[in-house]
Amino acid sequence: MLTTLKTVYTDTRAEDLAWALGREPLPALATLDVELADAKLQLRLLGASHQVLLEEEQGSCSETVACIPGSSTPLPLGVSKRVGDWEYEFAARVETLSRGQFAGRAQELLALVTEHPHGLAGVFPGSPHAFTALLAQRHEGSVMWRTWHAYPQDGQLVATRSKVGLRAALPAQR
């Protein structure tokens, strides 16, 4: 699903992004509810980037990647944590592209997410290449999502990957 977001572009640099787990739902400009087997996700586009809310029988989890006023947790390159009975993994990378490369990659990503049944993309006013996009899927018992945050003025594209799966049971000790 593709939407034009009715807001000002508030997170204008990749360096402004912060990461947080467990935040309450923030006001969203657009949402997409997704059911993947027994998992319910809500993909949320914020004026300041994205939030994913996950609910399963085992509990709930929220991930926020956005400009969070007062946040002391910048966007990490990688995180691996236990969240209740789950293993949570997060990875982020920043690509810097030429103007031509950026425009081509932006079009490719927007087409991928827009055409996917579990994809949500929002374009910010002022540039067709200023966007935030989310794509969710289930794979081998885990729920996964990918996101892209585009900063055309700097030619930067922030890509994240998140995975939540049940913690493997440890073998019995003898």
Side-chain angles (χ1 to χ4, degrees), residues 2 57 69 92 102 121 148 154 168 172:
L2 178 64
E57 191 175 296
F102 190 92
W148 297 271
D154 298 324

Side-chain angles (χ1 to χ4, degrees), residues 52-84:
V52 175
L53 307 178
L54 168 65
E55 282 191 41
E56 276 193 310
E57 191 175 296
Q58 294 79 11
S60 62
C61 174
S62 77
E63 171 191 277
T64 306
V65 172
C67 293
I68 303 169
S71 176
S72 60
T73 307
L75 191 63
L77 294 178
V79 173
S80 183
K81 291 185 83 137
R82 287 188 173 150
V83 179

Side-chain angles (χ1 to χ4, degrees), residues 120-131:
L120 175 63
V123 176
F124 290 89
S127 171
H129 301 132
F131 68 90

Side-chain angles (χ1 to χ4, degrees), residues 103-119:
R105 185 80 172 123
Q107 289 174 341
E108 174 185 288
L109 289 169
L110 285 171
L112 169 74
V113 173
T114 300
E115 294 170 10
H116 196 282
H118 304 133

Side-chain angles (χ1 to χ4, degrees), residues 34-49:
V34 175
E35 289 197 33
L36 299 170
D38 57 347
K40 293 181 181 178
L41 282 99
Q42 187 175 68
L43 307 179
R44 302 168 60 82
L45 294 174
L46 313 175
S49 278

